[in-house]
Amino acid sequence: MGYVDGFLIPVENSRKDEYRAHEQKWWPSFRDKGAKAMTVCWGDDVPEGKLTDFRRAVDLKEGESVVFCWMVWPDKATRDKAYAAMMADTSMEGMEMPFDGKRMIWGGFQPILEV
C-alpha cells in the first residue's frame, strides 16, 4: 500500500499560479528520491464547520484558499531517507515558499484501506 504524506496549506489566492509552479519545480526532486505520485488540490468547496474545519486548521485569512496535497511513497523508509537528503541539501537553504509555512499542517500516514 505504500506510505502517504498529507498536507494542508494556506495560500493567497493571488499566488495560486506561483504556488503551482513551486510544487511543479520541486516534484522532480521528490520523484528522483522515490516518491511515486503527488496530488495538489486547490480548495473549491471548503465549508465552515461547527467545531473544526480545514479553514480553522490553517488559520485561513481573507483572500486565501486551503490547498490539500498528498504524496505517495513506496514505504516510510524511502520517504524518511528522501526528506533527510533534502534537508541536508544546502541548495534548499533560504528557499522562499509562496505560502505561510508556519500555518502548514502535515503528517505521514500508513494506509489501512485502498479500494
Side-chain angles (χ1 to χ4, degrees), residues 41-63:
C41 305
W42 193 263
D44 177 59
D45 184 12
V46 185
E48 292 184 21
K50 292 184 190 238
L51 296 177
T52 190
D53 54 43
F54 284 116
R55 295 165 176 270
R56 281 182 261 196
V58 297
D59 191 24
L60 198 68
K61 309 288 188 211
E62 180 81 25

Side-chain angles (χ1 to χ4, degrees), residues 12-84:
E12 290 179 28
N13 294 328
S14 64
R15 298 183 83 179
K16 182 178 181 179
D17 292 337
E18 181 184 355
Y19 173 75
R20 185 183 187 284
H22 170 83
E23 294 294 3
Q24 196 164 19
K25 172 188 172 188
W26 286 103
W27 165 244
S29 184
F30 287 106
R31 181 197 60 220
D32 294 348
K33 290 174 178 55
K36 295 175 12 179
M38 179 175 70
T39 302
V40 179
C41 305
W42 193 263
D44 177 59
D45 184 12
V46 185
E48 292 184 21
K50 292 184 190 238
L51 296 177
T52 190
D53 54 43
F54 284 116
R55 295 165 176 270
R56 281 182 261 196
V58 297
D59 191 24
L60 198 68
K61 309 288 188 211
E62 180 81 25
E64 294 179 332
S65 289
V66 176
V67 173
F68 177 47
C69 308
W70 64 91
M71 195 172 329
V72 179
W73 298 90
D75 51 51
K76 186 176 189 290
T78 301
R79 177 267 223 159
D80 291 349
K81 183 178 176 184
Y83 282 161

Side-chain angles (χ1 to χ4, degrees), residues 1 110-115:
M1 279 194 199
Q110 183 66 52
I112 61 170
L113 174 67
E114 285 183 333
V115 293

